[in-house]
Amino acid sequence: MVDVVLSIRDLHKIYSGGVHAVKGVSFDVHEGESVAVIGSSGSGKSTVLRCINRLIEPTEGVIELRGEQINTPLADVNQVRSRIGMVFQSFELFSHLKVLDNITLGLRHVRGMSKSKAEEVALDVLERVDMLERIEAYPGNLSGGQKQRVAIARALAMKPEVILFDEPTSALDPELIGSVLKTIRGLADEGMTMLIVTHEINFARDVADRIVYLDHGQVAEEGPSSIINEPKTERLQKFLSSMHEDKISEDIENELVNTQADHGYVPDGTGNRPRS
Amino acid sequence: MNSASPGIERIFSWSSIDSKSRVVILVSILLICSIPHSSGQETITGWNEAESWTDYDLNAAVIHGEIIWVFGDSGIVRLSEDSGATWQNHTNLGDANLISADSYENSMAVISSEGIIYMKDDFESEWITIDSSQTGMKSVALTGATSLVIVGNEGAIWQYTDQTWWNRTTSFTENLHDVDFNGDEDGLVVGDSGTILATDDGGTTWDYRESPDPDCSIVSISYFNPYRMFAVSDSGQILYSTSPGGFEWQLREIESAGYNTTLATNLSSIDVVSSSRILFTGPDGYLGLSLDQGLNVEINILPTGVNTSFNDHAMFDYVSGIVVGDSGVILFTDRAGENEDIGFQIPDYNNFGEFVEYADDMLLSGFIATVKIVLFGILLGFTIGVILAMLKTAPTSFKNILERYSTNQIRALGAVCLIIGLWLLYTGVNRFPELQLEGLEYIFTPVGDPQGFAMFALGLGIVAISIQFILADKKLSGPIFKVRPLNSLATVYTDFFRNTPLIVQFMFIHFGLRLGMRIQQLMEGTFGDPGIDGIDYFFYGDRTFLSAIFTLGLNSGAYQCETIRGAISAIPSGQMEAGRSIGLTYLGTMRLVIMPQAIRICIPPIGNEMVNLVLNSSLAMVIGYSELSRQGKLMIATTFQIFSAWGLVMISYFVVTWTLALLLRRLEEKTKIPGLGISGGA
């Protein structure tokens, strides 16, 4: 039995306006597993994600990181957050800092590393996301895909136990998505534990080990990535068919095929891919 | 746009200035340096040199009726009948050195180093010779027409009365240097080791007086009246006593010498010329004049070529008299030796050049004073602004603070607070009737009884909060738990400073709270006397300066706070989330992520605030701080050149603000982040 890294039990969130965004969501994320959370807009995907690293305080429910509850006033929120990486939809790079300093900021001020040690770690993670040649650039001078890869590197540098991706490609132009997805896929191959909120159905199918489908704040269907090809519930079927009608997603499909080709394997149509 | 780091060295370093700007800066400096600066004020000596017809050292001078007598070495005697301008020979009195002289009503006496006393008991009478048979005598004082006291080495005091010598030597055997009598009974003798002896019976019995410095050698003493006596030591100290009989002596803290107790020069004699005017003489051409009883001593300028040691002086009145010194030097004055200002005797202020010549010194000092308060005001204001802005945006609500405690604990806290609050409220309210106010007048209670009002307000607040604590539910959903206390505090501060006029704040803080005085006293307690120049004086020598920077800083901080807060709100909330999500604390994210971006955004509006602060600094004139506007007013008071004076002041202000604006513009350019914000151009 693989360790449970993240466990969410009966999560509720009622916003101050009275919107009941999350209604009793429960699921687990295991060590080395990548879980994709899919669902239409307003289904509570991002709320669940933000509750996990306590950017939003859940109204009710229990969130456990490696068996210890983290959503109590007694938990050290800063320590919890440094164990959970987060990648945002709109990158949120520190625009006044250069790429390298963006990565070292947390290492130096949270982990207490020396400047040279932090830079060593930073260069290492920047190499993993293939951004070594732009370390002296300001975020304002990067393309969207590059920004997102730096953001992933920033989360990686902290050596998190799990990384949360909040729609990492939604703010990107279609032609820029590929490089980011390739990076995330690379992480999955390395066995990084990941929770990915995404609209990219094909990507979710290809990368995720498990899919959680949220609808109106509830888990409507949960299972291995094959449920995308063979949805059991009507609601997921409907959702998938609406997504497939989207023309852009086909472009992404093509893009994905290309990046997958880069990555050394060709999809066989089952959505399964060799694990390393 | 290059992408180097925007460090401080990049913003103001010489190497970062392009060559065109360098030329402009160098030329400006050159121009400023090459502007001929008028030397301004000039002074000439108030003393004239008289021909004494001798090269012998002159030791004593005395006024006897209309005649000034001067006595010197080898029995030399000179006299002047025209206030010291011309001198006549007189038969020598013996061949020993004549060292001290005194006059009393119609009598005059002079003593030689051999202890022989030559006396005239009337203006027309012949010299009488009295031999004391004592050597080593230093000074003589008449106590009556034919009675006198002489003092000398090893504590010798001899009294001559009724044709007889009496030895009045006391048990104090230090060398004595001078004796002076006020009238015929009260007298003082001074000498080495701070010796001061006093008599109140014409010199028969002498009493010891405590000296303020037992190590100094007191060389000269002078009565002004029975209640005011002055003495000097050879090491430049000024001693004074204001108690009849000279019971208590103090050392003067001399303002013009940086509140030191010594003039840092040797002195040989003192003469109190009028109620406030004191003349000092010393070796090597030292002639000092004080117009305020020794608080400020100005060195007299001497006629060219005179650099002798002065030994004694004699004044007819407080303006005309003489000093005598070695090598037969006699100087006379009819203006008490005061340095004479020249150059501005008949200034024509309608002539712009002469007006500017008069004004530029005042303008420069005002300019420096303004820049001083502006710099410190900006620093203080910006610091306060940043702190307030952080307080105002702090998310810490009562709920955040309390949610880690159980509901019962919070209720217990509420109960305790309620009791404290009720007690404060009760005590505060009970103090109000003492103020005897009626109706609406109660809005003035914060002034009438600040402490009582503070108790009342604090009590009221605590009661209101604690009731909701007691009623707290499990989810802390009461309205009080949404309140952010830090924000409330900052809001009270900004509301206060933004809703009262700056000019009133100036007067309230300086004259009402006396903030400047309090800080000055605090600093004096910690760092000692500020002196009259140097770094101490710069920081806390002037209490109006302290009040002014604090008023400006506190006021400007309230405005800058809102500007900075606006800039903070302009930063996308995701930046805070991103900072927090890598594990930084709230303050850490603020400091490392939000503020560096927010400050850049608010440089233009903060620049506005700073320029405002410079202009507002002119209001410091109401508390007497000598900044530019006040100097302008003073210039008008003397010259009546209203147009020119205010014109000059305006140009000076423009120089300050425009420089500031240029610096800020440069700062803005240099700290600009590539790809952030819209700032003109593509």
Side-chain angles (χ1 to χ4, degrees), chain A residues 135-199:
Chain A
I135 56 170
E136 286 295 317
Y138 280 96
N141 292 346
L142 297 178
S143 74
Q146 288 173 322
K147 282 185 199 172
Q148 195 60 294
R149 281 185 283 153
V150 173
I152 293 170
R154 182 174 67 186
L156 273 180
M158 301 297 288
K159 297 225 169 7
E161 293 163 37
V162 54
I163 300 187
L164 314 178
F165 290 87
D166 188 3
E167 306 194 18
T169 55
S170 307
L172 297 177
D173 291 339
E175 65 269 27
L176 296 173
I177 292 174
S179 64
V180 174
L181 294 186
K182 180 180 157 193
T183 305
I184 299 174
R185 190 191 306 277
L187 292 177
D189 292 346
E190 288 167 25
M192 174 60 77
T193 313
M194 295 189 290
L195 184 59
I196 307 162
V197 167
T198 183
H199 278 121

Side-chain angles (χ1 to χ4, degrees), chain B residues 70-97:
Chain B
V70 167
F71 306 98
D73 283 357
S74 304
I76 203 137
V77 180
R78 294 288 181 269
L79 63 94
S80 168
E81 293 172 338
D82 56 0
S83 303
T86 58
W87 292 86
Q88 307 164 25
N89 286 346
H90 183 278
T91 325
N92 284 10
L93 295 172
D95 52 10
N97 297 342

Side-chain angles (χ1 to χ4, degrees), chain A residues 47-58:
Chain A
T47 305
V48 170
L49 208 65
R50 275 152 191 267
C51 282
I52 292 170
N53 78 345
R54 296 188 59 192
L55 291 175
I56 295 174
E57 287 298 325

Side-chain angles (χ1 to χ4, degrees), chain A residues 235-246:
Chain A
R235 284 196 281 185
L236 181 54
Q237 267 170 15
K238 241 185 189 170
F239 172 69
L240 289 173
S241 60
S242 72
M243 292 299 285
H244 279 300
E245 281 163 19
D246 201 333

Side-chain angles (χ1 to χ4, degrees), chain A residues 117-157:
Chain A
K117 183 82 176 50
E119 277 174 5
E120 210 174 288
V121 175
L123 291 174
D124 187 47
V125 289
L126 283 168
E127 191 178 6
R128 279 165 73 183
V129 299
D130 199 18
M131 283 296 296
L132 263 188
E133 70 275 21
R134 300 303 307 269
I135 56 170
E136 286 295 317
Y138 280 96
N141 292 346
L142 297 178
S143 74
Q146 288 173 322
K147 282 185 199 172
Q148 195 60 294
R149 281 185 283 153
V150 173
I152 293 170
R154 182 174 67 186
L156 273 180

Side-chain angles (χ1 to χ4, degrees), chain A residues 204-216:
Chain A
R205 183 188 59 206
D206 291 344
V207 172
D209 299 310
R210 248 163 5 95
I211 306 279
V212 176
Y213 171 58
L214 287 188
D215 189 32
H216 292 98

Side-chain angles (χ1 to χ4, degrees), chain B residues 10-30:
Chain B
R10 199 165 75 90
I11 298 165
F12 292 115
S13 76
W14 178 249
S15 58
S16 74
I17 301 171
D18 61 64
S19 55
K20 203 173 73 186
S21 307
R22 284 188 200 187
V23 171
V24 172
I25 291 171
L26 284 178
V27 169
S28 313
I29 293 172
L30 213 68

